Amino acid sequence: MNLVAKEYVASNVQEQGVLILSRFTGAAREFTDAVLINPYSIEEFSDAIKFAVELPEDDKRKRMKNMRKIVAENNIYRWAGNIITELTALRK
């Protein structure tokens, strides 16, 4: 789920659409601009779909732009750098 959500955001170059994401995924912590839902609640799920469909285009673009920025910033180089920093801290 996390990788699929990130791939959707990364590939959405036109910054259209809305990401509806389970609040139980790890990606939900990063993608606060996604519409977060409890997938076990049919009513909440349907409300989220309605909200996403009715969301103004400018708001959709703003949300997607913010999420695309997160994907761009949290790349392999940042991930590797964080691991090295943590390993260095353990050594001390």
Side-chain angles (χ1 to χ4, degrees):
M1 182 63 75
N2 293 321
L3 185 56
V4 172
K6 290 179 181 187
E7 287 176 347
Y8 170 71
V9 170
S11 66
N12 198 331
V13 294
Q14 294 177 339
E15 297 175 347
Q16 296 177 336
V18 177
L19 177 63
I20 298 175
L21 188 61
S22 166
R23 69 180 74 238
F24 305 125
T25 63
R29 285 178 270 160
E30 288 181 279
F31 292 151
T32 56
D33 283 304
V35 177
L36 302 179
I37 61 156
N38 175 352
Y40 301 108
S41 169
I42 295 170
E43 187 173 317
E44 189 175 332
F45 207 133
S46 64
D47 289 345
I49 293 171
K50 182 178 186 296
F51 174 81
V53 168
E54 294 175 348
L55 193 65
E57 292 300 318
D58 289 343
D59 290 342
K60 290 178 185 179
R61 277 192 200 87
K62 181 181 175 189
R63 285 170 176 256
M64 191 57 65
K65 188 176 211 167
N66 290 341
M67 290 186 287
R68 285 178 53 78
K69 183 178 178 188
I70 290 167
V71 169
E73 289 174 353
N74 294 325
N75 57 31
I76 187 70
Y77 302 109
R78 177 171 281 193
W79 176 76
N82 288 342
I83 289 175
I84 291 169
T85 300
E86 289 182 29
L87 288 173
T88 304
L90 289 175
R91 191 171 185 199
K92 293 177 184 179

